[in-house]
Amino acid sequence: MKKNVNESQITMIRELPVLRSFSVRVNFGGRTGVEVIDRRHHKDQVANRWEMQMQRPMIATVLALLVPLQASAMDSLSQLTWKNRIALVFGAAGEARLERQLAEFTRSDAALADRDMVVVRVTEETAEAVYGSIGDLDAAELRRQADIAPGEFQVVLIGKDGGAKLKSGEFVDSEALFGLIDRMPMRRAEQD
């Protein structure tokens, strides 16, 4: 069946920008497809694709550089890396929250020993182990590395890999802490 096309329809088709500025290209990059490209913006599209391709390796490089920084976030605790998990409890000397948090963590020696834990009290002037053993620590350096102001109450959990796993300005229940540790892949491997 033949269709009649009137002159106004032909004019409208000729004026469509698609017919003047688009071309069709077949891509064989793993899949066959058809791509429609606007010739007026083709140079911009090529430039944008190039920028995206250049940004991907740059982003990967930045991420690769950040991973070691996170893994060694607490350099002053490096003597315990791959041996112990460390619960750092920061606060003002004599502060009730600090003492309550330390009492909460140390009430279960068996749970701490099972998870290879060291619990450290960090005040303005001192840093000392209240459970487990650790060499001399510099309280100011620990606060600087953990980005905690003097006298500020914070609980920081450092994993065996040296990375910070938890940072909380609130009281942390020992069951919640142990639950977090028990969900870690390294802890699961220890239990198998």
Side-chain angles (χ1 to χ4, degrees), residues 3-117:
K3 259 189 164 179
N4 292 333
V5 179
N6 65 33
E7 184 64 25
S8 66
Q9 289 173 320
I10 292 172
T11 304
M12 189 169 48
I13 290 172
R14 272 190 234 130
E15 290 177 1
L16 282 175
V18 172
L19 295 177
R20 288 184 294 166
S21 63
F22 279 77
S23 63
V24 177
R25 180 173 67 185
V26 177
N27 292 324
F28 295 102
R31 294 189 325 198
T32 303
V34 177
E35 183 177 353
V36 179
I37 299 173
D38 183 346
R39 287 187 211 145
R40 293 173 295 182
H41 303 293
H42 180 67
K43 289 180 182 176
D44 293 338
Q45 290 173 345
V46 170
N48 288 342
R49 284 187 195 140
W50 183 81
E51 286 174 10
M52 289 298 290
Q53 289 174 349
M54 293 306 292
Q55 287 175 352
R56 285 184 189 132
M58 190 181 323
I59 291 169
T61 302
V62 169
L63 290 175
L65 291 172
L66 288 177
V67 169
L69 291 176
Q70 187 274 337
S72 62
M74 301 294 288
D75 288 336
S76 59
L77 300 173
S78 62
Q79 60 187 323
L80 300 178
T81 303
W82 304 115
K83 298 175 194 167
N84 296 97
R85 293 175 184 91
I86 306 134
L88 297 166
V89 184
F90 293 86
E95 180 183 12
R97 283 191 303 176
L98 173 71
E99 298 307 321
R100 183 172 161 238
Q101 185 67 74
L102 291 168
E104 173 71 13
F105 285 167
T106 57
R107 69 183 167 111
S108 178
D109 289 352
L112 291 170
D114 186 44
R115 290 166 181 83
D116 302 321
M117 295 287 300

Side-chain angles (χ1 to χ4, degrees), residues 120-140:
V120 179
R121 171 193 293 123
V122 185
T123 62
E124 296 87 345
E125 299 297 323
T126 64
E128 61 186 356
V130 293
Y131 179 85
S133 62
I134 191 167
D136 291 336
L137 295 173
D138 182 351

Side-chain angles (χ1 to χ4, degrees), residues 147-160:
D147 193 27
I148 297 172
E152 179 183 356
F153 177 80
Q154 285 283 333
V155 176
V156 178
L157 174 64
I158 306 298
K160 283 188 173 183

